[in-house]
Amino acid sequence: MENFIVSARKYRPATFESVVGQHAITTTLRNAILNNQLAQAFLFCGPRGVGKTTCARILAKTINCNQITKEGEACNECVSCKSFNTSASFNIYELDAASNNSVDDIRTLVDQVRIPPQGARYKVYTIDEVHMLSQSAFNAFLKTLEEPPSYAKFILATTEKHKIIPTVLSRCQIFDFKRISVEDIMLQLTRVASNEGITAEPEALHIIAQKADGAMRDALSIFDQLVSFSGSNITYRHVITNLNVLDYDYYFRLVDAFLTNSVSEALVIVDNVLANGFDGQHFIIGLGEHLRSLLVSQDTATLRLLEAGAALKERYRRQADQCISEFLLKSLEIVNRCDLDYRVSNNKRLLVEMAILQMMALIRPISLSGSKALEDAAGQPQANVKPTPPLPPPKPAEANKPIFVPPAELIKKTGIAPVGMPTTTSIKTSPPGTPAQTLPKTDENGADENNYEEESQTAYILQADLEKYWAAFAQSVASESPNLHATLTFGEVRVADASKGVIEYPITSQVQLKEIQDHKSDLIDFLRKKLGTPRLTINTPLVESKSVADIPYTPVEKFRKMLEKNPELAKLKEQLNLDIDY
């Protein structure tokens, strides 16, 4: 019986060309080999399972090859390549810094560097997990790393570049390995499955690639696990069962329940998910990913951001056409808030169900906004939505002309009414502080109709009333906010446009502007009630303040100012032999 070799080792790349998902790095290394421009030290950094140690081994093997191909690859036929393939090379060393991280281990390595290579061009030292070296070990390694012998090359690999001291980073060529994309992992898994005679559904390989989180080694390990579980036929159902992955069909059904406003169906879906042993937070995170996928599926330009198979992409696109962006964005906010509150919640199930109900409640207001109607699966409009009543027929042009109506108080004071307007005796006045109203309608004979027009959006503002109520508000906040009181009493308020409800209060500093802005809503509400106008706008133009150059501060300046008014003070000072108090 042959010993089983895991796929991560069996299909480990042996050439630069076979490295998956790191084309930019492998191209750079091959060009450096062909042009004989090798640095003395390389630093390979990136997440786990993306090919750092693999590329280090390929580089070490290739630079000692005696017959390098024109593509920059090792020949696998010379003595150096064969000895490397059998792990018998005396010129290539691998050191695990996780277990050899002391200063004595580095001193031993430095002593070995002094010995020239045997039957090869270079001695290559690969240090894996180099961030685990101690501070003293790093310091002992610095001099050799900066000025090694011409035949010595160092390849450092780490998953945590931020833990390496800057003096080491500055002595290396740094290569940042990226996470391998889902598509590249799927292609590699397809090749492995084909070589092993295993049938695998594309959706199953896609779930494996997603679960691997950009690591090829993890993807191959999961692949071996599923082969042990399902044999020579890997299906999507086998994958989600073995890996405890939440089926995306749950999310499609849940969004369909949102669109049809089926509360019971949505709650049953949540119950099924929790009953199958899935964590509520895991379900919420998956729902957020599903909503994000629907959002990017609404535009062909962003559809490429969706990591899914062709059939699944089409399913996302069809469901995305039934949703509107506003619903998806607000739902993502609810999902994010639920995810943040999940750990501190005492009733986690209720938190998840409340989030589902809040998302469902978004459908009705949005569908009534007129931006995009939402219909149920049967194509019928939503229930319980009252039809919009028809608009009244248009009135004659003369009846639609706006009439400016000053308040009754102004007419009483002046005794003058605009042309075509009844006198004060025919105007229905209202108590002070109530919103101004327009004149009642009249028919052809001049008789009042049953209803009045809607409230006027503007009302005439008197300067005297404005000053009185402005001062009253300033006095009401004097004890609680003396700074605001000082600001409101500093200048003079005036009516800028009486008919449109615009008043103006000039200020002289940004401090005054902030004080007014912080209390602007309270001030406007107060003046609206007192002046009887629904619409009120306060403008605060910034004007230059008076010059303070002439204001005396010191005793000398004050005395000089007094002399300007009364020169006789100088004689009095001399007669009494007085001095100015500094």
Side-chain angles (χ1 to χ4, degrees), residues 369-445:
S369 65
S371 57
K372 183 176 182 180
L374 295 175
E375 297 183 351
D376 58 14
Q380 300 297 329
Q382 282 189 318
N384 301 327
V385 178
K386 297 181 179 180
T388 305
L391 297 175
K395 298 181 181 181
E398 292 295 330
N400 291 332
K401 289 184 178 180
I403 302 176
F404 168 67
V405 182
E409 182 180 357
L410 177 62
I411 301 175
K412 287 182 179 179
K413 291 182 178 181
T414 59
I416 302 175
V419 178
M421 172 183 171
T423 59
T424 56
T425 56
S426 63
I427 298 178
K428 295 185 178 181
T429 60
S430 56
T434 58
Q437 294 182 340
T438 58
L439 291 174
K441 297 180 183 178
T442 58
D443 57 16
E444 297 179 356
N445 300 324

Side-chain angles (χ1 to χ4, degrees), residues 502-521:
V502 180
I503 64 176
E504 192 173 88
Y505 185 70
I507 58 173
T508 59
S509 67
Q510 294 293 333
V511 176
Q512 293 179 343
L513 178 60
K514 186 178 185 306
E515 284 292 335
I516 293 180
Q517 287 180 342
D518 291 344
H519 302 83
K520 194 170 186 178
S521 59

Side-chain angles (χ1 to χ4, degrees), residues 182 186 189-190 199-211 222 226 233-241 243 245-249 252 307-316:
V182 174
M186 284 186 62
L189 291 178
T190 303
T199 304
E201 294 180 356
E203 291 80 5
L205 296 181
H206 184 268
I207 294 297
I208 296 175
Q210 282 187 324
K211 193 74 173 179
I222 297 172
L226 288 167
N233 185 23
I234 301 177
T235 65
Y236 171 77
R237 188 58 55 184
H238 290 156
V239 173
I240 63 174
T241 301
L243 299 182
V245 176
L246 193 57
D247 188 1
Y248 52 73
D249 187 60
F252 280 106
E307 294 181 344
L312 188 58
K313 279 186 178 181
E314 178 62 23
R315 188 173 180 183
Y316 272 114

Side-chain angles (χ1 to χ4, degrees), residues 461 466 470 494-496 501-505 527 536-539:
I461 302 176
L466 174 62
W470 185 277
R494 67 182 185 85
V495 179
V502 180
I503 64 176
E504 192 173 88
Y505 185 70
L527 294 177
L536 187 66
T537 304
I538 301 178
N539 295 333

